[in-house]
Amino acid sequence: MSERATREETVNVVWSGNWVAERLGVALEGGDELGDLLGLALRRNPKRAHLLVSNVLGKHVPQLPSVVHGAGYELGERVRALLGPQEARRAVVLGYAETATGLGHAVADGLRDAPYLHSTRRPVAGVAPAGGFEESHSHATSHLLLPEDRDLLAGGGPASTLVLVDDEFSTGNTVLNTVRALHALHPRERYVIVALVDMRSPADRDRLTAFAAEIGARVDLVTRAAGTVALPDGVLERGQALVAEQEARAPASARPSVPVPAHVTRVALDWPAGVPDGGRHGFTPDHRTALEAALPAMAERIATALDAGAPDRGDDHGQGADRDRDRIPAGGHDRDRSPARGQGQNRVGDQDRVRDQDRDQDQDQGQGRVRAPRRVLVLGFEELMYAPLRLGTALEERLGARAEVRYSTTTRSPVLAVDDPGYAIRTRLVFPAHDDPADGPGDRYAYNVAGAGFDAVVAVVDSTADTPALHAPGGLLARLAEHTGQVLLAVVPSYTPTPVQEPAVLPEPLRGPDFSSYAPDEVGWLLQDLSDTELEAPTEEREEAIQSGGAHYAESLPVEYQPSPAYQALFTAALETSAARIARAVGTVTETVLAERGPRPVLVSLARAGTPVGVLMRRWARHRHGLDLPHYAISIVRGRGIDATALRWLAAHHDPADVVFVDGWTGKGAITRELAAAIEAFEASGGPAGFDPEIAVLADPGGCVRTYGTREDFLIPSACLNSTVSGLISRTVLRADLVGPDDFHGGKFYRELAASDVSNHFLDTVAARFDDVAAEVDDATKELLAADRAPTWEGWAAVERISEEYGIHDVNLVKPGVGETTRVLLRRVPWKILARRGAGPDLEHIRLLAEQRGVPVEEVDDLPYSCVGLIHPRFTRGATGADGRAVAGGSPVADGGEAVREA
């Protein structure tokens, strides 16, 4: 055995998860390869403080490009062997943004003949989403699917296989969300799920088995390694406290006080025409062939630029100090524990290799040749992982022994950095986003780059991200220049898909009495009629599916609650008591809209809670001003956005600038934010511009909007009931097998409930008080128009506080205000009700419903709302009894056949 090999065997190896494991008791349980594949870090996340950091993904840990691409390629070859060549040719590969976009592409390479698509968080002008899903544990949850070819996800029909690729399985929720959504759109017989590591619990594995049996499809798993993460009790809270302690000690987000511009050499890649920059819109085998042919020439251009700009060895600019001290290895620990054992390195071996390269390069210098950099990092950009990875593999092959090439990418994900050999994220660079992201400006990160001793960094971005912010002092390029002697910039042209053609004919609105019990001139429903479709599911089943990630709440309907005589009497009494109060709020919000958005606004209610308010606003405008305002109802779905077809219909018939969106009330402001993001995404995808996302509401107890009738949290009787106070219309439905890309979202008309309908009685009772409150409305409107009505978001802050105080850790399960609490008791599985001490008669119906369902009501102080409803945070089907009343405990239901197979 050689002396060097002996040194490599006897060096003290430190696992890059030790620091977290020792402090929090987190452990990886499984084979030895788990420690090679994964390290541990911490992050500020309300659902999961620990982060599994891959050593072979090329995201947080710089790794040899050949190792990164090889890891995915090998998995793809295993999928090809599983399916066989013929079935592999008909498969479609889908990767997840942002961490698995490159891995998924490499898996598609291993299949050889399969097209590839990855999800994205970047809306693209001219491309309407073909679907989407939620990633509940992520810092950025919503994924879009934007294939240029709308038939790509259909593949070869039901017999074709969909291959889903993620870097890790932690719970499997994301995969369940995706398969459920796509199976409804394009049912198929087989799915293959691919990941580097499978870290699911036994219960999560059982859920996937049961789900596969439910949809009648075969689901195969292909992974590099499997195990579980052992988490002691209280680890989330202790992890969050540890993150706060470390950040207070040495804030990792600090930027240099005097940023300087970077000297950057731009490399002209000559990217092959017609080849996409990645899989955001689809990547075909023909694209792969064209790229493979072009890679050697592009690598040659980068190598030439590296040679031409390499600083003299004596130049300490940017990274001389890093070179003179013990440098942090690329893996962020004392040995790069790569599964490719021959690729491993430790400090002694790494420095030996550097000295060997020094001798070779000194000989080149003596022969008149320019010395190449010893260590080169190819740095990709967020979702743009595959293009820089393949440039890295080609550069690695081109430079050979002359230099060590590493690859990693920047990321949106904030992770704590700790400079310790037993921690996976040793350093982080913080810089502003530079691609004008749809969700607004924010910090971005590059990990294990500072202090890693890179002589040169080749930053690879797409042209969308080649903005002034990239080049500004304090931007990414300037931050890189602080830690290396040479910065190169290679820009890949952002692929522009062919714009989607608008449908020739848009559907027409539905109107009463054929759809709803409202008069035809009161509202036009921009919905499709699904009245003959069975959509209702028991409350418990819906709640379990929603919280487990198996279904979205808009894919089914709750069974319509039919009030008891006592509850119906309470509604009638509440309406009589509050009619003047509601009329005053209706008049105030309508007058504010007419003053600021008039003279003839187009009222567009957010169905269904906003619809009675929109009808009342229309009645006020006609009663006081003789105006006959257009009024429509439109669907918006949390996590899925607004009905784009309905927006196109509105733009075709009205000026978008005249549209005023109307809702009943604000809770924590989730729909307010959803609407703003949805309008921005709609315009970014090529939809008509000009819609104002500001919502006008009857009541704004959460302080979330500028246009409101009141900010008091009081009983609005229309919140007490479901369809029987909303024109007999269900809440809206969005399911891929029922709603196509050019359809309106769906809804049901419950004609059979006509005997219980009080929709028009509610409207008539309130409208009868218009004259009584006219003077008060005039005074209130003048006061509001002169006031500072900027949103305070007080309600959102309260919801976040309650979520943490009660150990829920999910703001979506906290429903503030009288209206939202009523919905929790009528439609969801309630856990408990928080009532502001002394709230009074506005909560009589809340207390009655809570008593009927066996839900405790807790009196609290310092509540900005009259009440808050808490959905059961760890729901299983045993959380309520057969009668729907809350019970103390329960256990998950696990059933299903052997539909999931390990491969």
Side-chain angles (χ1 to χ4, degrees):
M1 183 179 292
S2 69
E3 179 184 358
R4 178 170 176 177
T6 302
R7 286 198 300 270
E8 289 186 351
E9 283 191 353
T10 59
V11 71
N12 180 34
V13 174
V14 178
W15 176 47
S16 63
N18 278 349
W19 193 91
V20 174
E22 291 170 357
R23 286 159 177 78
L24 297 182
V26 178
L28 304 185
E29 298 178 348
D32 292 339
E33 194 176 17
L34 282 180
D36 293 332
L37 288 170
L38 299 173
L40 292 173
L42 296 176
R43 58 183 176 175
R44 188 176 285 277
N45 187 302
K47 298 183 181 179
R48 195 171 70 184
H50 73 279
L51 177 70
L52 300 176
V53 179
S54 173
N55 293 322
V56 298
L57 186 62
K59 175 54 72 172
H60 302 88
V61 178
Q63 179 58 273
L64 299 174
S66 56
V67 171
V68 176
H69 186 254
Y73 194 92
E74 178 189 4
L75 289 170
E77 289 186 314
R78 289 175 56 190
V79 175
R80 179 180 172 85
L82 175 70
L83 299 178
Q86 182 175 355
E87 190 172 348
R89 277 193 292 272
R90 294 189 301 153
V92 177
V93 182
L94 175 64
Y96 289 94
E98 77 179 28
T99 52
T101 59
L103 176 67
H105 212 141
V107 169
D109 287 350
L111 266 78
R112 302 183 198 171
D113 303 313
Y116 176 63
L117 176 74
H118 71 69
S119 66
T120 181
R121 296 187 176 103
R122 180 197 286 180
V124 177
V127 184
F133 52 88
E134 297 296 307
E135 183 180 7
S136 58
H137 69 270
S138 174
H139 62 282
T141 62
S142 296
H143 292 245
L144 298 172
L145 297 175
L146 303 177
E148 180 177 24
D149 179 1
R150 304 284 292 192
D151 295 327
L152 176 63
L153 290 171
S160 67
T161 300
L162 181 63
V163 181
L164 299 103
V165 184
D166 209 349
D167 57 312
E168 65 173 77
F169 302 148
S170 54
T171 65
N173 283 346
T174 303
V175 169
L176 281 175
N177 287 342
T178 311
V179 173
R180 185 177 290 275
L182 295 182
H183 191 79
L185 185 63
H186 301 293
R188 61 186 78 231
E189 299 168 0
R190 191 172 189 181
Y191 297 87
V192 178
I193 302 171
V194 182
L196 290 169
V197 293
D198 180 1
M199 306 300 289
R200 292 172 301 154
S201 68
D204 289 327
R205 295 170 189 263
D206 290 343
R207 264 194 317 120
L208 182 59
T209 301
F211 173 67
E214 174 190 333
I215 64 174
R218 174 176 174 177
V219 179
D220 296 285
L221 302 177
V222 177
T223 63
R224 179 86 176 243
T228 57
V229 183
L231 300 174
D233 292 340
V235 67
L236 176 61
E237 293 75 14
R238 289 191 290 119
Q240 291 172 333
L242 186 56
V243 170
E245 173 190 327
Q246 292 293 320
E247 289 181 340
R249 180 179 302 171
S253 61
R255 294 195 178 95
S257 57
V258 184
V260 295
H263 175 70
V264 177
T265 301
R266 188 181 288 268
V267 180
L269 288 175
D270 196 13
W271 186 265
V275 174
D277 52 288
R280 182 178 286 112
H281 306 298
F283 198 96
T284 67
D286 289 341
H287 293 145
R288 182 177 298 116
T289 300
L291 178 60
E292 293 288 345
L295 281 172
M298 291 191 286
E300 180 65 34
R301 294 183 187 94
I302 295 174
T304 300
L306 288 169
D307 285 346
D312 184 78
R313 185 61 44 80
D315 184 357
D316 286 339
H317 173 69
Q319 39 75 51
D322 291 331
R323 182 181 294 139
D324 291 338
R325 68 176 175 85
D326 276 349
R327 88 166 56 100
I328 298 171
H333 40 81
D334 281 4
R335 185 169 188 172
D336 178 3
R337 296 167 59 86
S338 165
R341 296 287 185 177
Q343 309 285 2
Q345 68 175 19
N346 56 42
R347 280 186 178 164
V348 175
D350 190 33
Q351 291 170 348
D352 284 346
R353 181 164 56 256
V354 170
R355 284 195 292 269
D356 292 342
Q357 292 172 359
D358 284 347
R359 286 195 298 270
D360 294 340
Q361 293 166 353
D362 287 341
Q363 292 173 5
D364 289 345
Q365 178 88 0
Q367 297 171 13
R369 293 193 295 269
V370 177
R371 292 175 297 177
R374 294 174 300 177
R375 285 171 59 81
V376 177
L377 174 67
V378 178
L379 183 67
F381 155 63
E382 297 184 26
E383 293 177 10
L384 187 75
M385 295 187 70
Y386 183 73
L389 172 61
R390 297 314 315 280
L391 291 171
T393 58
L395 186 64
E396 188 180 7
E397 183 175 351
R398 165 64 178 79
L399 295 180
R402 296 176 57 199
E404 177 185 298
V405 179
R406 293 271 162 167
Y407 159 80
S408 64
T409 66
T410 65
T411 176
R412 286 169 159 253
S413 178
V415 185
L416 176 71
V418 178
D419 191 7
D420 186 282
Y423 188 83
I425 303 296
R426 299 286 297 274
T427 63
R428 78 177 187 178
L429 295 179
V430 187
F431 54 92
H434 52 87
D435 62 336
D436 297 326
D439 57 352
D443 284 340
R444 300 295 185 262
Y445 310 91
Y447 295 108
N448 292 322
V449 175
F454 290 112
D455 300 271
V457 176
V458 183
V460 183
V461 304
D462 58 21
S463 55
T464 298
D466 186 17
T467 62
L470 175 68
H471 299 264
L476 172 60
L477 299 179
R479 294 307 317 272
L480 294 174
E482 298 164 16
H483 300 279
T484 185
Q486 189 180 10
V487 178
L488 275 61
L489 175 63
V491 179
V492 179
S494 298
Y495 184 69
T496 304
T498 303
V500 176
Q501 297 297 317
E502 295 289 346
V505 179
L506 290 168
E508 285 299 310
L510 300 172
R511 296 184 181 272
D514 296 327
F515 188 83
S516 88
S517 59
Y518 292 136
D521 63 331
E522 299 263 43
V523 59
W525 300 86
L526 300 179
L527 298 175
Q528 62 167 313
D529 189 354
L530 300 179
S531 301
D532 297 328
T533 305
E534 189 66 35
L535 293 168
E536 290 75 16
T539 300
E540 284 204 323
E541 292 183 12
R542 294 184 75 249
E543 193 66 44
E544 185 174 38
I546 292 167
Q547 289 200 33
S548 69
H552 190 278
Y553 77 88
E555 294 175 350
S556 64
L557 292 173
V559 177
E560 281 286 308
Y561 172 82
Q562 292 306 297
S564 65
Y567 188 84
Q568 186 70 45
L570 190 151
F571 164 81
T572 302
L575 175 58
E576 187 62 33
T577 301
S578 61
R581 198 176 183 182
I582 298 168
R584 185 164 52 249
V586 167
T588 302
V589 70
T590 308
E591 294 294 342
T592 303
V593 166
L594 292 173
E596 296 186 334
R597 302 287 301 275
R600 293 186 59 84
V602 177
L603 303 179
V604 177
S605 300
L606 302 182
R608 72 182 165 187
T611 310
V613 178
V615 174
L616 284 169
M617 291 176 65
R618 184 179 183 278
R619 288 192 178 189
W620 178 279
R622 184 173 55 190
H623 180 76
R624 289 295 306 277
H625 304 285
L627 297 175
D628 192 13
L629 300 181
H631 176 218
Y632 306 96
I634 192 173
S635 169
I636 185 169
V637 177
R638 181 174 55 80
R640 299 285 179 87
I642 201 164
D643 188 335
T645 302
L647 287 182
R648 290 197 298 270
W649 189 95
L650 288 169
H653 294 80
H654 301 280
D655 185 345
D658 291 336
V659 168
V660 177
F661 294 102
V662 174
D663 206 359
W665 57 85
T666 65
K668 56 182 172 287
I671 290 297
T672 305
R673 297 184 178 196
E674 184 79 36
L675 179 61
I679 294 297
E680 184 173 4
F682 174 74
E683 293 184 358
S685 67
F691 289 102
D692 186 339
E694 183 175 320
I695 305 178
V697 300
L698 194 65
D700 179 36
C704 306
V705 300
R706 290 185 66 258
T707 307
Y708 52 86
T710 179
R711 276 188 167 157
E712 296 179 66
D713 183 22
F714 69 97
L715 172 59
I716 301 172
S718 61
C720 291
L721 303 173
N722 286 324
S723 66
T724 54
V725 78
S726 301
L728 298 181
I729 301 300
S730 72
R731 59 154 218 51
T732 60
V733 175
L734 178 57
R735 209 171 79 190
D737 60 329
L738 299 173
V739 179
D742 299 322
D743 295 331
F744 291 143
H745 293 185
K748 295 187 72 168
F749 177 24
Y750 292 112
R751 299 174 178 84
E752 66 275 16
L753 300 180
S756 302
D757 187 23
V758 293
S759 303
N760 286 291
H761 172 64
F762 169 72
L763 298 174
D764 294 342
T765 302
V766 174
R769 308 302 295 270
F770 284 170
D771 288 334
D772 299 339
V773 301
E776 295 176 70
V777 167
D778 290 341
D779 293 340
T781 303
K782 290 177 183 177
E783 183 177 337
L784 275 181
L785 292 174
D788 178 8
R789 292 175 283 133
T792 63
W793 293 100
E794 178 186 11
W796 187 276
V799 166
E800 289 184 324
R801 173 177 58 79
I802 291 169
S803 174
E804 297 306 309
E805 285 182 0
Y806 284 83
I808 297 174
H809 309 303
D810 185 349
V811 294
N812 291 324
L813 301 183
V814 180
K815 302 295 185 180
V818 177
E820 293 302 306
T821 302
T822 303
R823 288 180 172 188
V824 169
L825 289 164
L826 292 179
R827 306 181 195 169
R828 304 294 293 270
V829 176
W831 183 36
K832 61 179 64 178
I833 304 301
L834 308 182
R836 188 172 62 205
R837 202 177 307 279
D842 279 336
L843 298 191
E844 287 183 11
H845 79 294
I846 294 290
R847 297 181 189 280
L848 178 60
L849 281 174
E851 180 183 358
Q852 290 175 352
R853 298 204 64 182
V855 179
V857 178
E858 181 179 325
E859 300 279 347
V860 297
D861 298 309
D862 301 323
L863 200 63
Y865 301 93
S866 296
C867 59
V868 173
L870 304 183
I871 295 172
H872 201 292
R874 287 169 293 278
F875 177 77
T876 64
R877 207 168 297 185
T880 61
D883 60 356
R885 293 173 63 87
V887 298
S891 59
V893 174
D895 54 13
E898 295 298 322
V900 179
R901 300 169 176 84
E902 301 283 351

